Amino acid sequence: MKKLLLIAVLSLLSASLQAQGISYIETTRSWYYLYDQNGKKIKGLSTTIGELQGYSASFFVVKSGSWYYLYDSKGNKTKAMSVSMVGKVLSVAGDTFTSQVGSWIYTWDKEGKKIAVRAAQH
């Protein structure tokens, strides 16, 4: 009986942790609202943080002036990166994002670490 109860509790905790990911970011004039897979609002952030560049279930990227800011799925800022270093953000997916600087495409992880580089196709 105790074993079944423990399994049930672990299952609920696992489902709760999975629900913490971003399913959708609603953008209004003044706010970004982060929602999980169950439609529950995770957090609201003022649009004064910058312009949303893209998001995935685990993080999102915002550009403000000459900086990109990475935020986790709970809406906490985790990293600041200069636009001159990153270039133009092309896409955000999974645990990575891609950017282009000149004729080079960079792949970065959600922590802001460069993990790959390749020449852009012309």
Side-chain angles (χ1 to χ4, degrees), residues 60-93:
F60 61 100
V61 180
V62 171
K63 181 181 180 189
S64 180
S66 58
W67 293 94
Y68 285 111
Y69 296 102
L70 307 182
Y71 288 81
D72 65 18
S73 62
K74 295 178 183 174
N76 300 313
K77 188 187 306 181
T78 59
K79 180 83 173 184
M81 304 171 74
S82 72
V83 169
S84 62
M85 178 179 76
V86 175
K88 178 183 177 192
V89 171
L90 302 174
S91 68
V92 179

Coordinates of all heavy atoms in Angstrom, one line a residue, residues 60-93:
F60 N 13.0 31.4 -23.2 CA 12.7 32.3 -24.3 C 13.7 33.4 -24.4 O 14.5 33.6 -23.5 CB 11.3 32.9 -24.2 CG 11.0 33.7 -22.9 CD1 11.0 35.1 -22.9 CD2 10.7 33.0 -21.7 CE1 10.7 35.8 -21.7 CE2 10.4 33.7 -20.6 CZ 10.4 35.1 -20.6
V61 N 13.8 34.1 -25.5 CA 14.8 35.1 -25.8 C 14.1 36.4 -26.1 O 13.2 36.5 -26.8 CB 15.7 34.7 -27.1 CG1 16.7 35.7 -27.3 CG2 16.3 33.3 -26.9
V62 N 14.7 37.5 -25.5 CA 14.2 38.8 -25.6 C 15.3 39.7 -26.0 O 16.4 39.6 -25.5 CB 13.6 39.3 -24.3 CG1 13.2 40.8 -24.3 CG2 12.3 38.5 -23.9
K63 N 15.0 40.7 -26.9 CA 16.1 41.6 -27.3 C 15.7 43.0 -26.8 O 14.5 43.5 -26.9 CB 16.2 41.7 -28.8 CG 17.2 42.7 -29.3 CD 17.2 42.8 -30.8 CE 18.3 43.8 -31.3 NZ 18.2 44.0 -32.7
S64 N 16.6 43.7 -26.1 CA 16.4 45.0 -25.6 C 17.7 45.8 -25.9 O 18.8 45.5 -25.4 CB 16.2 45.0 -24.1 OG 16.0 46.3 -23.6
G65 N 17.5 46.8 -26.8 CA 18.7 47.6 -27.2 C 19.8 46.7 -27.9 O 19.5 46.0 -28.8
S66 N 21.0 46.8 -27.3 CA 22.1 46.0 -27.9 C 22.3 44.7 -27.1 O 23.4 44.2 -27.1 CB 23.3 46.8 -28.0 OG 23.7 47.3 -26.7
W67 N 21.3 44.2 -26.4 CA 21.4 43.0 -25.6 C 20.3 42.0 -25.9 O 19.1 42.4 -26.2 CB 21.4 43.3 -24.1 CG 22.6 44.1 -23.7 CD1 22.7 45.5 -23.7 CD2 23.8 43.6 -23.3 NE1 23.9 45.8 -23.3 CE2 24.7 44.7 -23.1 CE3 24.4 42.3 -23.2 CZ2 26.0 44.6 -22.7 CZ3 25.7 42.2 -22.8 CH2 26.5 43.3 -22.6
Y68 N 20.6 40.7 -25.8 CA 19.7 39.6 -25.8 C 19.7 39.1 -24.4 O 20.7 39.0 -23.7 CB 20.1 38.5 -26.7 CG 19.9 38.8 -28.2 CD1 21.0 38.9 -29.0 CD2 18.6 38.9 -28.7 CE1 20.8 39.2 -30.4 CE2 18.4 39.1 -30.1 CZ 19.5 39.3 -30.9 OH 19.3 39.5 -32.2
Y69 N 18.5 38.8 -23.9 CA 18.3 38.3 -22.6 C 17.6 36.9 -22.7 O 16.6 36.8 -23.4 CB 17.5 39.2 -21.6 CG 18.2 40.5 -21.4 CD1 17.8 41.6 -22.1 CD2 19.3 40.6 -20.5 CE1 18.4 42.9 -21.9 CE2 19.9 41.8 -20.3 CZ 19.5 42.9 -21.0 OH 20.1 44.1 -20.8
L70 N 18.2 35.9 -22.0 CA 17.6 34.6 -21.9 C 16.8 34.4 -20.6 O 17.3 34.9 -19.6 CB 18.7 33.5 -22.0 CG 19.7 33.6 -23.2 CD1 20.6 32.4 -23.2 CD2 18.9 33.7 -24.5
Y71 N 15.6 33.9 -20.7 CA 14.8 33.7 -19.6 C 14.4 32.2 -19.5 O 14.2 31.6 -20.5 CB 13.5 34.5 -19.7 CG 13.7 36.0 -19.5 CD1 14.1 36.8 -20.5 CD2 13.4 36.6 -18.3 CE1 14.3 38.1 -20.3 CE2 13.5 37.9 -18.1 CZ 14.0 38.7 -19.1 OH 14.1 40.0 -18.9
D72 N 14.3 31.6 -18.3 CA 13.9 30.2 -18.1 C 12.4 30.1 -18.2 O 11.7 31.1 -18.4 CB 14.5 29.6 -16.8 CG 13.9 30.3 -15.6 OD1 12.9 30.9 -15.6 OD2 14.5 30.1 -14.5
S73 N 11.9 28.9 -18.1 CA 10.4 28.6 -18.2 C 9.6 29.2 -17.1 O 8.4 29.3 -17.2 CB 10.2 27.1 -18.3 OG 10.6 26.5 -17.2
K74 N 10.2 29.7 -16.1 CA 9.5 30.4 -15.0 C 9.5 31.9 -15.1 O 9.0 32.6 -14.3 CB 10.1 30.0 -13.6 CG 9.9 28.5 -13.3 CD 10.6 28.1 -12.0 CE 10.4 26.6 -11.8 NZ 11.1 26.2 -10.6
G75 N 10.2 32.4 -16.2 CA 10.2 33.8 -16.4 C 11.4 34.5 -15.7 O 11.4 35.8 -15.6
N76 N 12.4 33.8 -15.2 CA 13.5 34.4 -14.6 C 14.7 34.6 -15.6 O 15.0 33.7 -16.3 CB 14.0 33.5 -13.5 CG 13.0 33.2 -12.4 OD1 12.3 34.1 -12.0 ND2 12.8 32.0 -12.0
K77 N 15.3 35.8 -15.6 CA 16.4 36.1 -16.5 C 17.6 35.2 -16.1 O 18.0 35.2 -14.9 CB 16.8 37.6 -16.4 CG 17.8 38.0 -17.4 CD 18.3 39.4 -17.2 CE 17.2 40.4 -17.2 NZ 17.7 41.8 -17.0
T78 N 18.2 34.5 -17.1 CA 19.3 33.7 -16.8 C 20.6 34.1 -17.4 O 21.7 33.7 -17.0 CB 19.0 32.2 -17.2 OG1 18.8 32.2 -18.6 CG2 17.8 31.6 -16.5
K79 N 20.5 34.9 -18.5 CA 21.8 35.3 -19.2 C 21.5 36.6 -20.0 O 20.5 36.8 -20.5 CB 22.2 34.1 -20.1 CG 23.4 34.3 -20.9 CD 24.6 34.0 -20.1 CE 25.9 34.0 -21.0 NZ 27.0 33.6 -20.4
A80 N 22.6 37.4 -20.1 CA 22.6 38.6 -21.0 C 23.7 38.3 -22.0 O 24.8 37.9 -21.6 CB 22.9 39.8 -20.2
M81 N 23.4 38.6 -23.3 CA 24.4 38.4 -24.3 C 24.3 39.6 -25.3 O 23.2 40.0 -25.6 CB 24.1 37.1 -25.1 CG 24.0 35.9 -24.2 SD 23.4 34.4 -25.1 CE 24.8 34.1 -26.1
S82 N 25.5 40.1 -25.7 CA 25.5 41.3 -26.6 C 25.0 40.9 -28.0 O 25.4 39.8 -28.5 CB 26.9 41.9 -26.6 OG 27.8 41.1 -27.3
V83 N 24.3 41.8 -28.6 CA 23.8 41.6 -30.0 C 25.0 41.5 -30.9 O 25.0 40.7 -31.9 CB 22.9 42.8 -30.4 CG1 22.6 42.7 -31.9 CG2 21.6 42.7 -29.7
S84 N 26.1 42.2 -30.7 CA 27.3 42.2 -31.6 C 27.9 40.8 -31.5 O 28.5 40.3 -32.5 CB 28.3 43.2 -31.2 OG 28.8 43.0 -29.8
M85 N 27.8 40.1 -30.4 CA 28.4 38.7 -30.3 C 27.4 37.7 -30.9 O 27.8 36.8 -31.6 CB 28.6 38.4 -28.9 CG 29.1 37.0 -28.6 SD 29.5 36.6 -26.9 CE 27.8 36.3 -26.3
V86 N 26.1 37.8 -30.7 CA 25.1 36.9 -31.1 C 24.7 37.1 -32.5 O 24.4 36.1 -33.3 CB 23.9 36.9 -30.1 CG1 22.8 36.0 -30.6 CG2 24.3 36.5 -28.7
G87 N 24.5 38.3 -33.0 CA 24.0 38.6 -34.3 C 22.5 38.7 -34.3 O 21.9 39.1 -33.3
K88 N 21.9 38.1 -35.3 CA 20.4 38.1 -35.4 C 19.9 36.8 -35.0 O 20.3 35.8 -35.6 CB 20.0 38.5 -36.8 CG 18.5 38.4 -37.0 CD 18.1 38.7 -38.5 CE 16.6 38.6 -38.6 NZ 16.2 38.5 -40.0
V89 N 18.9 36.7 -34.1 CA 18.3 35.4 -33.7 C 17.4 35.0 -34.8 O 16.6 35.7 -35.2 CB 17.6 35.6 -32.3 CG1 16.8 34.3 -32.1 CG2 18.5 35.8 -31.2
L90 N 17.6 33.8 -35.3 CA 16.8 33.2 -36.4 C 15.7 32.3 -35.8 O 14.6 32.4 -36.4 CB 17.7 32.3 -37.3 CG 18.9 33.1 -37.9 CD1 19.8 32.1 -38.7 CD2 18.4 34.2 -38.8
S91 N 16.0 31.5 -34.8 CA 14.9 30.6 -34.3 C 15.3 30.2 -32.9 O 16.4 30.2 -32.5 CB 14.7 29.4 -35.2 OG 15.8 28.6 -35.2
V92 N 14.2 29.8 -32.2 CA 14.3 29.2 -30.9 C 13.5 27.9 -30.9 O 12.4 27.9 -31.3 CB 13.7 30.1 -29.8 CG1 13.8 29.5 -28.4 CG2 14.4 31.5 -29.8
A93 N 14.2 26.8 -30.5 CA 13.5 25.5 -30.5 C 14.2 24.6 -29.5 O 15.4 24.6 -29.4 CB 13.5 24.8 -31.9

